[in-house]
Amino acid sequence: QQIPRVTVKWPNDVLIRRTQIIAQSSSSPSAREGHEKIAGVLIESARDWFLIGIGINVGYAPSIPSKGADYGRRATCLSQYCNASTSAGEIDGEGRSKEEEEYWINMSKKLAIDIAHDLHSWLHSTPSTLSLDVHSGESVLNQWKSYIDWDMELILRDTPKRERVTLKSVMHDGRVVVQEVETGVTRTLITDYFL
């Protein structure tokens, strides 16, 4: 089994890329890459403040419809990649013990505290502890770009044809340049929603 790769989907999703084995017939299984959402980030701002929301699927992954108006990308969670260090106990309807559920609740709390601490440290760092440009928009954008899977096909969700595209560039103002998979046509987008 391939070790999952963490990647980002512009502008705010964190994905796990993994190879899924699909049985086409008993003699010839095939492999297909899947990108599953494990976290998302939302940032709102006004004047001199930012409100940052970070959602991480720690113990459970929500069920996402694959069709219909609310369809989206399949979700995953950390517990599918990490073992809970618990002893066996009474099992619930989802195959988890109370001890395991408690473990993931505690891990969620610890993760929230660690993220808040890291954000605080980053925001209040001094020039002596970081390079001078670490807080610049260009620096943050370049770091984010380093995690993009540029070969991943995305679907334009809110267009009539739901075109498949790949990212070609993320501009300094957040616009993206995409290329349609079928036609090769490139275009610049502002607020399109990708799957």
Side-chain angles (χ1 to χ4, degrees), residues 3 6 12 33 38 85 113 117 119 128-129 137 142 180 187:
I3 296 174
V6 177
N12 61 344
E33 257 191 16
I38 199 163
S85 55
I113 291 167
H117 179 267
L119 280 172
S128 63
T129 60
N142 287 336
E180 290 185 28
R187 55 184 159 156

Side-chain angles (χ1 to χ4, degrees), residues 10-12 156 158-159 165 167 169-178 186-194:
W10 185 260
N12 61 344
L156 295 177
D158 298 327
T159 62
V165 299
L167 283 179
S169 176
V170 177
M171 303 169 86
H172 70 281
D173 60 2
R175 293 178 296 152
V176 294
V177 177
V178 297
T186 59
R187 55 184 159 156
T188 302
L189 305 175
I190 298 173
T191 60
D192 292 77
Y193 181 68
F194 300 113

Side-chain angles (χ1 to χ4, degrees), residues 5-63:
R5 176 179 174 236
V6 177
T7 184
V8 296
K9 181 176 68 72
W10 185 260
N12 61 344
D13 289 343
V14 180
L15 308 175
I16 297 285
R17 184 183 75 191
R18 66 185 179 116
T19 301
Q20 302 166 329
I21 304 300
I22 300 167
Q24 291 180 331
S25 70
S26 59
S27 62
S28 62
S30 69
R32 178 182 68 149
E33 257 191 16
H35 290 82
E36 298 174 340
K37 183 174 177 177
I38 199 163
V41 178
L42 294 175
I43 301 174
E44 296 290 331
S45 66
R47 296 190 189 117
D48 60 350
W49 60 266
F50 288 92
L51 179 61
I52 302 171
I54 301 172
I56 302 172
N57 300 335
V58 178
Y60 298 95
S63 178

